[in-house]
Amino acid sequence: MSAAEIRLPLDEVVALLQDLNEFVVSLDRIGSREASGTADEHLVEEFVADWDVARRLARARRVISVALDEQLTEEDNAEIDALCERGRFYGEGGAGGVDAESR
């Protein structure tokens, strides 16, 4: 893959960082509550739903993907797509597990 640099509009980067910061801090706080025994079993589920986590993460992925598509060659984008397909995905290999091939 080339050593290209990708440019994103500052307002998009700031919005993505705000979302990521909210998720990281909130998940850390949820983890602390779980560790202390003060979290109920539905806390993560409620957080993901109430904070619209899936949509916001999908938006972040789309912003980055559009920038890559616009600024890299087809070959570089194909390589990135292949790398992303090799990621670890929840639910593979059984109940929440991960296939050995995914690691």
Side-chain angles (χ1 to χ4, degrees):
M1 186 176 327
S2 70
E5 292 185 20
I6 303 302
R7 298 180 66 89
L8 290 168
L10 182 58
D11 61 334
E12 292 282 358
V13 172
V14 171
L16 297 177
L17 284 174
Q18 286 174 321
D19 282 349
L20 293 173
N21 190 54
E22 287 179 15
F23 299 151
V24 169
V25 171
S26 297
L27 289 169
D28 181 61
R29 290 178 180 173
I30 289 170
S32 294
R33 287 185 58 187
E34 288 176 339
S36 70
T38 60
D40 70 31
E41 62 189 56
H42 302 291
L43 186 57
V44 173
E45 175 182 325
E46 291 170 2
F47 168 70
V48 170
D50 292 348
W51 287 59
D52 204 13
V53 173
R55 184 195 59 77
R56 291 167 68 189
L57 287 173
R59 180 188 174 282
R61 180 178 62 184
R62 185 179 64 253
V63 166
I64 294 168
S65 292
V66 166
L68 293 173
D69 287 344
E70 290 174 348
Q71 298 175 49
L72 295 179
T73 66
E74 280 188 46
E75 294 80 20
D76 284 341
N77 277 305
E79 186 175 347
I80 291 168
D81 290 345
L83 288 170
C84 289
E85 288 298 319
R86 292 194 331 225
R88 292 176 32 170
F89 302 101
Y90 182 84
E92 291 181 353
V98 178
D99 289 322
E101 293 178 2
S102 303
R103 292 182 184 215

